[in-house]
Amino acid sequence: MTTREIEHTADLGIEIETADLSGLFSEAAEALFGLVADSDDINPKEKIAVSAMGQGWEELFHAWLCELLAQFNLKGFGGKRCEIVSLLHERVEGLIWGECLDLERHRFYTEIKGVTYHDFKVWQEDGMWRARVIFDV
Amino acid sequence: MSRENTTAGDEIKLRRVAEWLWEIPRQGGMRVPGRIYASEELLPSLQDNNSMRQVMNVACLPGIVGYSLAMPDIHWGYGFPIGGVAAMDYDNGVISPGGVGYDINCGVRLVRTNLVFRDVEEKIPRLVEALFSSIPSGVGAHGAIPKISLGDERRLLREGARWAVGEGYGRQEDLEYMEEGGALQGADADLLSERALERGLRQVGTLGSGNHFLEIGRVEEIYRTREAEILGLFPDQLLVLIHTGSRGLGYQTCEDFLKVMNRATGKYQIDIPDRQLACTPVKSPEGQDYLAAMACAANYAWANRQVIMSQAEKAFIRVLGISPRELGFFLIYDVCHNIAKIEEHVVEGKPRRVCVHRKGATRAFPPNHPLIPKAYRQIGQPVLVPGDMGRYSFLLVGTETAMEATFGSTCHGAGRVMSRAQSRKISRGINIDQEMARRGVVARYQGRATMAEEMPHSYKDVAAVVETMERAGISKKVARFRPVGIIKG
C-alpha cells in the first residue's frame, strides 16, 4: 500500500496504490485527512460512520472523498484511521476514528476546496488498484 | 527552444504572433487557436506543457469565440489553466464551472488610508497582531461575526456587499467601487444545497487558507501620476490589500454543480477532453441555474471581503487611536478573478453577447466604459495584481486594447512556478520568520506549511507578468506597493 504526492503547480494531488479496492478507499480517507491536518496529533477517540453513493468505482471513489471532506467542513472532524465496512459497486460504507479538530491543539496544513475531476482516475494495473486525484487548495 | 517563430515544449508548437504573444495553432478538436501572453523571460515556465495543454482543451469547448486565451501568470490548474480567459457565445456556447473554479469570485480589494508608512512604522507589529486576532484565518476558520441566521444568509446571497453595509460593515459609497456594485443580479438561493447554505453560516468575515491573505503595503513607486492622483495614491502611503473569496459556500456550490454538469455534458452530447471541463449550453436550464447559483456565491465573496475590510478598519482605529476621518480607510476598488460574466464585446466588428470565463484573470475595462465607477471613467478600471508576499504588488488600469484582444481581461497575480511539495522542500532550510523580517515584512500566520508553500520562491516575479501586459498594451501600470505586514491562514 503506497501513497505519494503528485507534483502539481497550483494544487495538491495524491496517487494511491493498494492490493485491494477497499484498501484504496480506506487509504484515500487517511491520506485526505492527513493533507488537512497532522494526523499524528489526532486522537482516534470518536468513531463516525460515513457512506457515499456513486455509479461505478470512479464516481463512488469521488463521492467518498467529497463526503469525507464534508465531515471536516461541516463538523470539524479530522480522521486518523479508516475501516471500510461495506463496498458495493454503487455504495461504500466506512468507519472513521478521529476527533473534532481544534486550532489550539492540532496542526493544520491546508484547506481543501474541492476534489477535482482533472486527471482523476481509478484503475487496476498489474493486479493492483490505483487512484489519482488532484485537490483544489 | 527556438526564439524566432516557433517553439515547442515537447510536442506543442507555439507560433510567435507578436513580441509578447504566442499562438497554439488549431489542431485536433480545437475550435479556435490558443493565445498566450508571455515575455521571453516567462516562456520557460510553460515548458512543462500541462498549462498549454489546458489552453488547448478549453479551445475545444462549443461556442468559444476568438481564442482560448492565457495571461502571463498562466500555470497548471484543473480544467482551465489558471490565468485562462475564454468567451463563449451566449446563444450557442457553453458555461463551465471549471472555468470559474471552486472559489467562486475569489478576488482582491485595495483600500487606501491617509497614513504615511514612516509615521506608523513602529506600530506595524501591533497592527498585524490586531488584524490577526480580529480576522479569522486558516483551515475551517469561523466568522469574525456571529453565526448568521438562514434568513440573513439568503438576504446576503441576494444583496452581496450591500447586505454587509446594511449590517454596519463599511459605508454605502464602498459599493460604487466594486465590480457589479458588489452584487451580481439574478442570484437564487433556492438553487444552493442545504450543505452549501450550512457552510456559509459561520464563515462571513474569514480569510481562509492557501494563497489568501490580508496585507499592509506601502506605495513604493508611482508610474503614472495623473491616474495615481485620481485613485487617491501618494508616495509611501499605507494601503491594505485583501485577497479571499466565497469560502465553503462557494466550494460546495462548485462541487454540487459539477455533478449537474457531468449529467448535462452527456445530455447535450458535448465532447470534452477533461472531465473538469464539464459544461452545459449557457441558455440551457442547467446553465441558467448555474449562473444564478454562481451569483449567490459571488455575492457571498463580496460580503466576505466587505466585512473583512470593516474589521480591518476597526483594528487600525483601535491600535492607532485615531478617528475614522484621520484614518481615511477608503476602498479603491474590488475585483473578481474567478468568475463567469455575461458581457457585450465586439467580435470581428460586430457586437456579440458572450459569457466570459475568467479563471485567475481580472477584468480590465478601458476608460469611459459604463461599467466602471464614474470617478475612474477617465483612467479606466483599476486592476489589482498581488505578487508573492515578500516582494511587491501592482495597481494597473484597463485599456481599449484589452477590449479588442482579451475580452477586457488581464493578469491576476504572479503565477506559481513550482509545486507545493517542491516549495515546502526548498523552504525547509529557511527560517520563515527571519526571512520575512529580512524582507521587511511582519508576518502572522496559522500554519507553517501554508507559509512554506507560499514563500516568494514559489512564484514568478509579478513585475515580469505586469510588464508583459504593459508592453502588450493590455493594462497600464499605475503604482507598485511593497508588503510591510501580512496575515495568512
Side-chain angles (χ1 to χ4, degrees), chain B residues 151-163 182-189 295-297 299-300:
Chain B
D152 263 346
E153 188 183 33
R154 287 178 172 274
R155 203 155 58 77
L156 177 159
L157 297 173
R158 204 170 49 244
E159 297 176 1
R162 187 153 50 88
W163 173 86
L184 269 174
Q185 298 306 303
D188 182 355
C296 289
N299 296 349
Y300 190 95

PDB file of all heavy atoms in Angstrom, chain B residues 151-163 182-189 295-297 299-300:
ATOM      1  N   GLY B 151     -32.175  33.177   7.277  1.00  0.00           N
ATOM      2  CA  GLY B 151     -32.866  34.286   6.612  1.00  0.00           C
ATOM      3  C   GLY B 151     -31.874  35.373   6.216  1.00  0.00           C
ATOM      4  O   GLY B 151     -31.924  35.917   5.105  1.00  0.00           O
ATOM      5  N   ASP B 152     -30.961  35.677   7.125  1.00  0.00           N
ATOM      6  CA  ASP B 152     -29.927  36.677   6.840  1.00  0.00           C
ATOM      7  C   ASP B 152     -29.032  36.207   5.705  1.00  0.00           C
ATOM      8  O   ASP B 152     -28.628  36.993   4.836  1.00  0.00           O
ATOM      9  CB  ASP B 152     -29.050  36.897   8.082  1.00  0.00           C
ATOM     10  CG  ASP B 152     -29.511  38.095   8.872  1.00  0.00           C
ATOM     11  OD1 ASP B 152     -30.312  38.876   8.329  1.00  0.00           O
ATOM     12  OD2 ASP B 152     -29.078  38.235  10.030  1.00  0.00           O
ATOM     13  N   GLU B 153     -28.726  34.918   5.733  1.00  0.00           N
ATOM     14  CA  GLU B 153     -27.841  34.391   4.698  1.00  0.00           C
ATOM     15  C   GLU B 153     -28.489  34.530   3.313  1.00  0.00           C
ATOM     16  O   GLU B 153     -27.845  34.907   2.341  1.00  0.00           O
ATOM     17  CB  GLU B 153     -27.509  32.918   4.976  1.00  0.00           C
ATOM     18  CG  GLU B 153     -26.436  32.388   4.026  1.00  0.00           C
ATOM     19  CD  GLU B 153     -26.147  30.910   4.224  1.00  0.00           C
ATOM     20  OE1 GLU B 153     -27.064  30.151   4.579  1.00  0.00           O
ATOM     21  OE2 GLU B 153     -24.985  30.513   4.012  1.00  0.00           O
ATOM     22  N   ARG B 154     -29.776  34.248   3.248  1.00  0.00           N
ATOM     23  CA  ARG B 154     -30.476  34.362   1.954  1.00  0.00           C
ATOM     24  C   ARG B 154     -30.451  35.815   1.460  1.00  0.00           C
ATOM     25  O   ARG B 154     -30.297  36.077   0.278  1.00  0.00           O
ATOM     26  CB  ARG B 154     -31.920  33.865   2.075  1.00  0.00           C
ATOM     27  CG  ARG B 154     -31.994  32.351   2.182  1.00  0.00           C
ATOM     28  CD  ARG B 154     -33.408  31.850   2.355  1.00  0.00           C
ATOM     29  NE  ARG B 154     -33.442  30.417   2.264  1.00  0.00           N
ATOM     30  CZ  ARG B 154     -33.538  29.740   1.112  1.00  0.00           C
ATOM     31  NH1 ARG B 154     -33.637  30.382  -0.024  1.00  0.00           N
ATOM     32  NH2 ARG B 154     -33.528  28.427   1.094  1.00  0.00           N
ATOM     33  N   ARG B 155     -30.591  36.733   2.394  1.00  0.00           N
ATOM     34  CA  ARG B 155     -30.542  38.160   2.021  1.00  0.00           C
ATOM     35  C   ARG B 155     -29.122  38.512   1.559  1.00  0.00           C
ATOM     36  O   ARG B 155     -28.939  39.190   0.549  1.00  0.00           O
ATOM     37  CB  ARG B 155     -30.956  39.001   3.229  1.00  0.00           C
ATOM     38  CG  ARG B 155     -31.483  40.382   2.874  1.00  0.00           C
ATOM     39  CD  ARG B 155     -32.401  40.915   3.953  1.00  0.00           C
ATOM     40  NE  ARG B 155     -31.782  41.008   5.269  1.00  0.00           N
ATOM     41  CZ  ARG B 155     -30.928  41.957   5.631  1.00  0.00           C
ATOM     42  NH1 ARG B 155     -30.579  42.895   4.773  1.00  0.00           N
ATOM     43  NH2 ARG B 155     -30.428  41.974   6.841  1.00  0.00           N
ATOM     44  N   LEU B 156     -28.135  37.994   2.287  1.00  0.00           N
ATOM     45  CA  LEU B 156     -26.723  38.232   1.925  1.00  0.00           C
ATOM     46  C   LEU B 156     -26.445  37.703   0.504  1.00  0.00           C
ATOM     47  O   LEU B 156     -25.773  38.361  -0.299  1.00  0.00           O
ATOM     48  CB  LEU B 156     -25.833  37.527   2.946  1.00  0.00           C
ATOM     49  CG  LEU B 156     -24.315  37.552   2.786  1.00  0.00           C
ATOM     50  CD1 LEU B 156     -23.670  37.270   4.141  1.00  0.00           C
ATOM     51  CD2 LEU B 156     -23.766  36.559   1.791  1.00  0.00           C
ATOM     52  N   LEU B 157     -26.990  36.527   0.205  1.00  0.00           N
ATOM     53  CA  LEU B 157     -26.719  35.925  -1.102  1.00  0.00           C
ATOM     54  C   LEU B 157     -27.350  36.719  -2.241  1.00  0.00           C
ATOM     55  O   LEU B 157     -26.864  36.709  -3.362  1.00  0.00           O
ATOM     56  CB  LEU B 157     -27.219  34.470  -1.129  1.00  0.00           C
ATOM     57  CG  LEU B 157     -26.517  33.538  -0.142  1.00  0.00           C
ATOM     58  CD1 LEU B 157     -27.176  32.175  -0.105  1.00  0.00           C
ATOM     59  CD2 LEU B 157     -25.034  33.400  -0.485  1.00  0.00           C
ATOM     60  N   ARG B 158     -28.429  37.425  -1.916  1.00  0.00           N
ATOM     61  CA  ARG B 158     -29.083  38.256  -2.938  1.00  0.00           C
ATOM     62  C   ARG B 158     -28.401  39.618  -3.051  1.00  0.00           C
ATOM     63  O   ARG B 158     -28.199  40.143  -4.117  1.00  0.00           O
ATOM     64  CB  ARG B 158     -30.550  38.430  -2.541  1.00  0.00           C
ATOM     65  CG  ARG B 158     -31.491  38.749  -3.666  1.00  0.00           C
ATOM     66  CD  ARG B 158     -32.957  38.681  -3.244  1.00  0.00           C
ATOM     67  NE  ARG B 158     -33.266  39.401  -2.015  1.00  0.00           N
ATOM     68  CZ  ARG B 158     -33.705  38.825  -0.898  1.00  0.00           C
ATOM     69  NH1 ARG B 158     -33.886  37.531  -0.842  1.00  0.00           N
ATOM     70  NH2 ARG B 158     -33.968  39.559   0.184  1.00  0.00           N
ATOM     71  N   GLU B 159     -28.015  40.162  -1.901  1.00  0.00           N
ATOM     72  CA  GLU B 159     -27.554  41.563  -1.878  1.00  0.00           C
ATOM     73  C   GLU B 159     -26.037  41.736  -1.870  1.00  0.00           C
ATOM     74  O   GLU B 159     -25.547  42.836  -2.078  1.00  0.00           O
ATOM     75  CB  GLU B 159     -28.132  42.258  -0.642  1.00  0.00           C
ATOM     76  CG  GLU B 159     -29.644  42.319  -0.654  1.00  0.00           C
ATOM     77  CD  GLU B 159     -30.202  42.921   0.617  1.00  0.00           C
ATOM     78  OE1 GLU B 159     -29.417  43.312   1.510  1.00  0.00           O
ATOM     79  OE2 GLU B 159     -31.437  42.987   0.728  1.00  0.00           O
ATOM     80  N   GLY B 160     -25.297  40.692  -1.584  1.00  0.00           N
ATOM     81  CA  GLY B 160     -23.837  40.783  -1.591  1.00  0.00           C
ATOM     82  C   GLY B 160     -23.305  41.793  -0.600  1.00  0.00           C
ATOM     83  O   GLY B 160     -23.716  41.837   0.561  1.00  0.00           O
ATOM     84  N   ALA B 161     -22.395  42.656  -1.075  1.00  0.00           N
ATOM     85  CA  ALA B 161     -21.744  43.618  -0.178  1.00  0.00           C
ATOM     86  C   ALA B 161     -22.761  44.584   0.444  1.00  0.00           C
ATOM     87  O   ALA B 161     -22.544  45.106   1.544  1.00  0.00           O
ATOM     88  CB  ALA B 161     -20.675  44.393  -0.939  1.00  0.00           C
ATOM     89  N   ARG B 162     -23.878  44.823  -0.261  1.00  0.00           N
ATOM     90  CA  ARG B 162     -24.908  45.741   0.272  1.00  0.00           C
ATOM     91  C   ARG B 162     -25.458  45.209   1.597  1.00  0.00           C
ATOM     92  O   ARG B 162     -25.781  45.961   2.507  1.00  0.00           O
ATOM     93  CB  ARG B 162     -26.023  45.917  -0.772  1.00  0.00           C
ATOM     94  CG  ARG B 162     -27.058  46.965  -0.418  1.00  0.00           C
ATOM     95  CD  ARG B 162     -27.700  47.557  -1.675  1.00  0.00           C
ATOM     96  NE  ARG B 162     -28.156  46.516  -2.594  1.00  0.00           N
ATOM     97  CZ  ARG B 162     -29.372  45.943  -2.553  1.00  0.00           C
ATOM     98  NH1 ARG B 162     -30.245  46.306  -1.641  1.00  0.00           N
ATOM     99  NH2 ARG B 162     -29.708  45.032  -3.434  1.00  0.00           N
ATOM    100  N   TRP B 163     -25.563  43.878   1.699  1.00  0.00           N
ATOM    101  CA  TRP B 163     -26.020  43.280   2.962  1.00  0.00           C
ATOM    102  C   TRP B 163     -25.050  43.673   4.083  1.00  0.00           C
ATOM    103  O   TRP B 163     -25.472  44.098   5.158  1.00  0.00           O
ATOM    104  CB  TRP B 163     -26.086  41.749   2.831  1.00  0.00           C
ATOM    105  CG  TRP B 163     -26.379  41.083   4.141  1.00  0.00           C
ATOM    106  CD1 TRP B 163     -27.610  40.847   4.684  1.00  0.00           C
ATOM    107  CD2 TRP B 163     -25.417  40.624   5.108  1.00  0.00           C
ATOM    108  NE1 TRP B 163     -27.468  40.255   5.930  1.00  0.00           N
ATOM    109  CE2 TRP B 163     -26.140  40.109   6.214  1.00  0.00           C
ATOM    110  CE3 TRP B 163     -24.022  40.590   5.151  1.00  0.00           C
ATOM    111  CZ2 TRP B 163     -25.510  39.565   7.343  1.00  0.00           C
ATOM    112  CZ3 TRP B 163     -23.388  40.058   6.271  1.00  0.00           C
ATOM    113  CH2 TRP B 163     -24.142  39.552   7.351  1.00  0.00           C
ATOM    114  N   GLY B 182     -20.874  45.131  -6.167  1.00  0.00           N
ATOM    115  CA  GLY B 182     -20.790  44.157  -5.069  1.00  0.00           C
ATOM    116  C   GLY B 182     -21.923  43.162  -5.026  1.00  0.00           C
ATOM    117  O   GLY B 182     -22.096  42.445  -4.032  1.00  0.00           O
ATOM    118  N   ALA B 183     -22.717  43.069  -6.108  1.00  0.00           N
ATOM    119  CA  ALA B 183     -23.780  42.047  -6.152  1.00  0.00           C
ATOM    120  C   ALA B 183     -24.143  41.732  -7.598  1.00  0.00           C
ATOM    121  O   ALA B 183     -24.552  42.619  -8.344  1.00  0.00           O
ATOM    122  CB  ALA B 183     -25.021  42.520  -5.404  1.00  0.00           C
ATOM    123  N   LEU B 184     -24.001  40.468  -7.963  1.00  0.00           N
ATOM    124  CA  LEU B 184     -24.461  40.040  -9.293  1.00  0.00           C
ATOM    125  C   LEU B 184     -25.971  39.858  -9.221  1.00  0.00           C
ATOM    126  O   LEU B 184     -26.495  39.298  -8.257  1.00  0.00           O
ATOM    127  CB  LEU B 184     -23.811  38.704  -9.663  1.00  0.00           C
ATOM    128  CG  LEU B 184     -22.478  38.736 -10.418  1.00  0.00           C
ATOM    129  CD1 LEU B 184     -21.928  37.322 -10.556  1.00  0.00           C
ATOM    130  CD2 LEU B 184     -22.626  39.354 -11.800  1.00  0.00           C
ATOM    131  N   GLN B 185     -26.653  40.316 -10.258  1.00  0.00           N
ATOM    132  CA  GLN B 185     -28.107  40.158 -10.296  1.00  0.00           C
ATOM    133  C   GLN B 185     -28.469  38.708 -10.602  1.00  0.00           C
ATOM    134  O   GLN B 185     -27.670  37.971 -11.168  1.00  0.00           O
ATOM    135  CB  GLN B 185     -28.696  41.087 -11.364  1.00  0.00           C
ATOM    136  CG  GLN B 185     -28.451  42.558 -11.094  1.00  0.00           C
ATOM    137  CD  GLN B 185     -28.934  42.981  -9.714  1.00  0.00           C
ATOM    138  OE1 GLN B 185     -30.099  42.812  -9.386  1.00  0.00           O
ATOM    139  NE2 GLN B 185     -28.025  43.508  -8.898  1.00  0.00           N
ATOM    140  N   GLY B 186     -29.683  38.339 -10.253  1.00  0.00           N
ATOM    141  CA  GLY B 186     -30.195  37.009 -10.624  1.00  0.00           C
ATOM    142  C   GLY B 186     -29.822  35.901  -9.658  1.00  0.00           C
ATOM    143  O   GLY B 186     -30.058  34.718  -9.939  1.00  0.00           O
ATOM    144  N   ALA B 187     -29.257  36.257  -8.502  1.00  0.00           N
ATOM    145  CA  ALA B 187     -28.879  35.228  -7.529  1.00  0.00           C
ATOM    146  C   ALA B 187     -30.131  34.545  -6.982  1.00  0.00           C
ATOM    147  O   ALA B 187     -31.100  35.218  -6.640  1.00  0.00           O
ATOM    148  CB  ALA B 187     -28.088  35.861  -6.385  1.00  0.00           C
ATOM    149  N   ASP B 188     -30.127  33.232  -6.925  1.00  0.00           N
ATOM    150  CA  ASP B 188     -31.283  32.490  -6.423  1.00  0.00           C
ATOM    151  C   ASP B 188     -30.806  31.445  -5.403  1.00  0.00           C
ATOM    152  O   ASP B 188     -30.304  30.384  -5.770  1.00  0.00           O
ATOM    153  CB  ASP B 188     -32.002  31.810  -7.603  1.00  0.00           C
ATOM    154  CG  ASP B 188     -33.239  31.061  -7.161  1.00  0.00           C
ATOM    155  OD1 ASP B 188     -33.494  30.993  -5.944  1.00  0.00           O
ATOM    156  OD2 ASP B 188     -33.957  30.542  -8.035  1.00  0.00           O
ATOM    157  N   ALA B 189     -31.008  31.754  -4.133  1.00  0.00           N
ATOM    158  CA  ALA B 189     -30.511  30.883  -3.054  1.00  0.00           C
ATOM    159  C   ALA B 189     -31.223  29.533  -3.034  1.00  0.00           C
ATOM    160  O   ALA B 189     -30.699  28.573  -2.460  1.00  0.00           O
ATOM    161  CB  ALA B 189     -30.654  31.583  -1.709  1.00  0.00           C
ATOM    162  N   ALA B 295     -23.974  33.334  -8.907  1.00  0.00           N
ATOM    163  CA  ALA B 295     -24.179  34.717  -8.451  1.00  0.00           C
ATOM    164  C   ALA B 295     -24.294  34.755  -6.926  1.00  0.00           C
ATOM    165  O   ALA B 295     -23.774  35.669  -6.281  1.00  0.00           O
ATOM    166  CB  ALA B 295     -25.425  35.313  -9.105  1.00  0.00           C
ATOM    167  N   CYS B 296     -24.959  33.749  -6.334  1.00  0.00           N
ATOM    168  CA  CYS B 296     -25.074  33.690  -4.862  1.00  0.00           C
ATOM    169  C   CYS B 296     -23.677  33.634  -4.241  1.00  0.00           C
ATOM    170  O   CYS B 296     -23.373  34.372  -3.287  1.00  0.00           O
ATOM    171  CB  CYS B 296     -25.830  32.437  -4.416  1.00  0.00           C
ATOM    172  SG  CYS B 296     -27.581  32.437  -4.785  1.00  0.00           S
ATOM    173  N   ALA B 297     -22.851  32.733  -4.761  1.00  0.00           N
ATOM    174  CA  ALA B 297     -21.514  32.560  -4.201  1.00  0.00           C
ATOM    175  C   ALA B 297     -20.670  33.812  -4.428  1.00  0.00           C
ATOM    176  O   ALA B 297     -19.903  34.227  -3.550  1.00  0.00           O
ATOM    177  CB  ALA B 297     -20.835  31.337  -4.810  1.00  0.00           C
ATOM    178  N   ASN B 299     -21.769  36.816  -4.599  1.00  0.00           N
ATOM    179  CA  ASN B 299     -22.258  37.832  -3.660  1.00  0.00           C
ATOM    180  C   ASN B 299     -21.744  37.560  -2.242  1.00  0.00           C
ATOM    181  O   ASN B 299     -21.459  38.484  -1.480  1.00  0.00           O
ATOM    182  CB  ASN B 299     -23.786  37.892  -3.706  1.00  0.00           C
ATOM    183  CG  ASN B 299     -24.268  38.357  -5.081  1.00  0.00           C
ATOM    184  OD1 ASN B 299     -23.467  38.822  -5.896  1.00  0.00           O
ATOM    185  ND2 ASN B 299     -25.545  38.225  -5.342  1.00  0.00           N
ATOM    186  N   TYR B 300     -21.637  36.275  -1.916  1.00  0.00           N
ATOM    187  CA  TYR B 300     -21.083  35.902  -0.599  1.00  0.00           C
ATOM    188  C   TYR B 300     -19.646  36.416  -0.487  1.00  0.00           C
ATOM    189  O   TYR B 300     -19.239  36.947   0.543  1.00  0.00           O
ATOM    190  CB  TYR B 300     -21.111  34.379  -0.441  1.00  0.00           C
ATOM    191  CG  TYR B 300     -20.789  33.890   0.947  1.00  0.00           C
ATOM    192  CD1 TYR B 300     -21.806  33.609   1.855  1.00  0.00           C
ATOM    193  CD2 TYR B 300     -19.472  33.702   1.359  1.00  0.00           C
ATOM    194  CE1 TYR B 300     -21.516  33.158   3.140  1.00  0.00           C
ATOM    195  CE2 TYR B 300     -19.173  33.253   2.642  1.00  0.00           C
ATOM    196  CZ  TYR B 300     -20.206  32.985   3.533  1.00  0.00           C
ATOM    197  OH  TYR B 300     -19.917  32.540   4.798  1.00  0.00           O
TER     198      TYR B 300
END
